[in-house]
Amino acid sequence: MIYIFTAIYAEAKNIIKHYDLKKQHVAGLKFDIFSNDDIRLLITGAGAVNAAVALGNAAGVFGIAGHDRIINIGSCAMPGENAGNVYIINKITEKATGHTFYPDMLIKTELEEAVAITVPKPFIKDCGSQKSGKCLQTKSVYEMEAASIYQAASFFIAPDHVSFIKIVSDNGDLISKDEMQEAIHIAEDKIHDYIDDIKEIVQEEKVNANAKESTDYKKDIERLSDAMCCSKVMKDQLSQLIKYCYLSDIDHRAVEREFYDRKMLPCSSKKEGKVCLDKFKNRLL
């Protein structure tokens, strides 16, 4: 599953429309969520605390882990830069603490890289050393959530499964809602292309995981069939049982180990195996 976190609805609107995400009401989730079969998008509210709480809340409700992906997509300020330009973040500095984080960038993308400076206030009055009215760090963007999302995500997911996409909306000045949406509209194709790339990777990982699982349960069937001296009919029954265990996330291997520890496996005859299979089935179901 892909989890997208945006601070405000204006940042999410085009994504919701493009991917036909539907608003849901999920027990225990305190934030607005829009989703389909591949994507869950949460609107966190602006600021570090809101972003961290939203991610932790979603991780607890949905069990974010493993092959899941987290993408933080949001607007940012970049003095001297055109509105609508899009950057993928390769470094995050939390201005309040001075802590620096480096997102793993293992996915190839056409997006230009930049540094994100996470600040506690939404508008930049002074971005430090200036020359000709522009910041010397011309590839630094200013935003409010990336550092907290990175730190919160690290409790649940691998660093290379978290990415940050920032859209330049202003130079650090107050802008209108229409100006914000226009900047995001300019960037929407690049944003969708990036999300599509992540979708392909997640789907490929699912296929590989399913193929591995298929191989694993077939090996389990063959191993247990031999240990129980199964006839064809018994092997068919065992096959259905093991497939059910995989689909239902039942740990049949723990029961198998238990049977070996109790000397119930391996069996010495088909008759003994039939009794063992019945006990194995009753133990699992």
Side-chain angles (χ1 to χ4, degrees), residues 67-266:
H67 295 296
D68 293 328
R69 292 295 197 284
I70 291 173
I71 311 174
N72 171 221
I73 298 175
S75 57
C76 66
M78 192 174 187
E81 192 75 2
N82 294 327
N85 284 1
V86 185
Y87 292 92
I88 186 167
I89 302 304
N90 60 15
K91 175 182 175 182
I92 302 168
T93 297
E94 189 174 41
K95 189 173 178 63
T97 64
H99 296 159
T100 298
F101 314 97
Y102 295 89
D104 288 345
M105 301 183 62
L106 303 182
I107 300 172
K108 291 184 179 180
T109 174
E110 299 298 321
L111 297 178
E112 189 174 353
E113 298 178 17
V115 173
I117 312 296
T118 298
V119 293
K121 296 181 180 180
F123 308 117
I124 311 301
K125 299 301 181 184
D126 178 12
C127 60
S129 300
Q130 296 190 8
K131 185 178 181 180
S132 302
K134 295 182 181 180
C135 290
L136 293 177
Q137 288 183 302
T138 57
K139 296 303 177 186
S140 291
V141 304
Y142 293 81
E143 56 79 61
M144 298 174 62
E145 292 84 28
S148 60
I149 286 180
Y150 182 93
Q151 292 173 86
S154 66
F155 285 94
F156 308 102
I157 205 166
D160 61 316
H161 286 194
V162 186
S163 53
F164 301 84
I165 307 297
K166 297 297 173 179
I167 306 154
V168 177
S169 59
D170 59 271
N171 290 319
D173 301 316
L174 180 65
I175 61 172
S176 68
K177 179 181 177 181
D178 288 342
E179 289 174 311
M180 165 78 74
Q181 292 185 338
E182 177 59 24
I184 294 171
H185 175 69
I186 293 170
E188 66 179 355
D189 287 343
K190 291 183 178 179
I191 299 299
H192 300 159
D193 286 346
Y194 183 80
I195 294 172
D196 288 342
D197 287 344
I198 299 297
K199 280 180 63 179
E200 286 185 13
I201 291 170
V202 171
Q203 288 168 358
E204 183 178 348
E205 288 179 346
K206 283 182 180 179
V207 169
N208 292 338
N210 288 338
K212 182 180 183 300
E213 182 178 278
S214 176
T215 300
D216 286 346
Y217 85 69
K218 287 179 180 178
K219 288 180 179 178
D220 289 350
I221 292 167
E222 292 299 327
R223 183 181 65 253
L224 281 164
S225 178
D226 289 343
M228 293 181 184
C229 301
C230 286
S231 65
K232 185 181 184 307
V233 173
M234 290 167 60
K235 186 174 181 180
D236 289 343
Q237 293 174 348
L238 177 65
S239 178
Q240 290 180 347
L241 178 62
I242 298 303
K243 288 177 183 178
Y244 175 80
C245 289
Y246 268 94
L247 292 172
S248 304
D249 199 26
I250 297 173
D251 188 3
H252 66 278
R253 292 177 182 171
V255 177
E256 180 183 352
R257 289 192 296 270
E258 176 188 324
F259 273 42
Y260 273 103
D261 291 341
R262 295 169 59 187
K263 308 301 181 183
M264 298 169 67
L265 283 173

Side-chain angles (χ1 to χ4, degrees), residues 24-84:
Q24 288 190 316
H25 298 282
V26 180
L29 190 67
K30 306 299 183 182
F31 298 84
D32 286 341
I33 181 171
F34 301 80
S35 64
N36 62 20
D37 291 339
D38 302 306
I39 296 169
R40 291 183 178 130
L41 185 151
L42 282 86
I43 299 175
T44 68
V49 172
N50 286 333
V53 171
L55 196 149
N57 187 192
V61 169
F62 297 112
I64 296 176
H67 295 296
D68 293 328
R69 292 295 197 284
I70 291 173
I71 311 174
N72 171 221
I73 298 175
S75 57
C76 66
M78 192 174 187
E81 192 75 2
N82 294 327

